[in-house]
Amino acid sequence: MRLDKYLADMNAGTRKELKNGIRKGLAVVDGTVIRDPGYALSGTEKVTYGGREIAYAAYEYYLMNKPAGVISATEDSRQKTVLDLLGEQRRKDLFPVGRLDKDTVGLLLITNDGALSHRLLAPKKHVDKIYFARVTGRVTGEAVDRFAEGVPIGEGIIARPAGLEILEVGEEFSEVRVTIHEGRFHQVKRMFLAIGHEVVYLKRLAMGPLVLDEDLEEGAYRPLTPEELQLLGVD
Ligand code: URA
């Protein structure tokens, strides 16, 4: 990558300011003053500008409140993806950590950090995922017991014991909070179907230590805060 682009990407100044500054001798690469803005970096060098070390952010992390109607894929020729919501300027190696169904809303982590993604998704890690769900019918204490035991969700699979908290029970619909420790395809929907309820609205509230930021409108996103990065162990 060009030296002036590297510095501009890391917000050391505008491209024009940086070109001038580099020509004046403000940029130092591995101890040598470099006056060529187009100097090619491999990415492993120590770069300072005006005496300040400028480290290149290898990874980016975004918290998105996924809206309904977009798919959790990196690209699709016909359907809008969560990455399309990040706009054209996004770097090209980002991906969503795990999948939410097209009609599911809520917390989605988007990053280019494959190791973190693995840590959060690996079945053996049992990272908690918490969902708010509106389901058909009256959910009772029996459903809580069934979820705690583990319900069969088809193809011979028994879902791991899950937490179910009943928030509100109406004539037609009930509202609940569900905590699962795995992430199978349509997992929450299949668990409710197994006990006779259909999920009509599903929103992810949390994944591991990350909690949905209710200030984010659906479709909006923001970088993770230093505190959130620390919670994820990537600070
Ligand atoms: N469970 C589902 O059924 N759908 C999702 O999008 C996430 C969990």
Side-chain angles (χ1 to χ4, degrees):
M1 180 187 301
R2 289 173 58 103
L3 177 58
D4 56 355
K5 181 173 187 317
Y6 175 105
L7 292 169
D9 281 358
M10 292 303 105
N11 292 321
T14 65
R15 202 72 178 251
K16 195 168 164 213
E17 286 163 359
L18 292 165
K19 276 200 166 96
N20 287 331
I22 293 167
R23 289 199 181 103
K24 281 187 194 145
L26 291 181
V28 176
V29 178
D30 284 341
T32 305
V33 174
I34 301 292
R35 293 175 189 271
D36 173 11
Y39 182 85
L41 296 167
S42 70
T44 58
E45 299 88 345
K46 179 179 169 187
V47 179
T48 65
Y49 186 75
R52 188 163 65 93
E53 183 170 351
I54 311 288
Y56 200 78
Y59 295 123
E60 291 182 13
Y61 305 87
Y62 298 99
L63 183 72
M64 176 180 281
N65 186 356
K66 178 194 171 295
V70 298
I71 59 169
S72 301
T74 46
E75 56 181 30
D76 192 276
S77 55
R78 286 172 304 135
Q79 304 196 66
K80 198 165 172 182
T81 73
V82 289
L83 291 185
D84 291 333
L85 298 175
L86 264 50
E88 269 312 302
Q89 295 307 309
R90 70 179 183 270
R91 52 196 287 172
K92 301 299 174 224
D93 53 357
L94 294 169
F95 58 86
V97 175
R99 285 169 183 251
L100 293 178
D101 295 336
K102 189 173 174 183
D103 59 354
T104 301
V105 301
L107 183 146
L108 191 64
L109 172 64
I110 295 177
T111 184
N112 57 338
D113 183 343
L116 173 67
S117 172
H118 179 74
R119 287 207 299 281
L120 289 169
L121 298 180
K124 281 192 184 144
K125 306 270 182 187
H126 308 312
V127 170
D128 283 1
K129 282 140 223 143
I130 306 179
Y131 293 86
F132 167 87
R134 188 171 301 122
V135 308
T136 55
R138 300 177 72 89
V139 174
T140 63
E142 195 193 323
V144 177
D145 296 341
R146 301 273 315 269
F147 271 30
E149 286 160 15
V151 290
I153 54 173
E155 296 159 7
I157 300 167
I158 312 279
R160 285 179 172 280
L164 179 60
E165 192 186 334
I166 301 171
L167 303 174
E168 204 167 305
V169 179
E171 278 306 315
E172 268 187 87
F173 299 103
S174 303
E175 293 186 346
V176 296
R177 191 179 294 123
V178 190
T179 303
I180 59 174
H181 316 285
E182 52 191 346
R184 296 181 190 278
F185 187 58
H186 295 331
Q187 172 135 3
V188 174
K189 292 173 183 169
R190 285 158 74 191
M191 287 170 69
F192 275 105
L193 271 185
I195 60 165
H197 302 274
E198 190 189 338
V199 173
V200 295
Y201 176 83
L202 189 60
K203 177 181 187 174
R204 183 153 64 187
L205 303 175
M207 180 171 66
L210 275 188
V211 176
L212 180 64
D213 181 342
E214 295 287 350
D215 289 341
L216 281 179
E217 309 242 320
E218 282 180 15
Y221 61 93
R222 62 156 173 78
L224 292 194
T225 63
E227 292 75 25
E228 288 167 335
L229 290 171
Q230 197 176 15
L231 288 170
L232 290 170
V234 290
D235 56 325

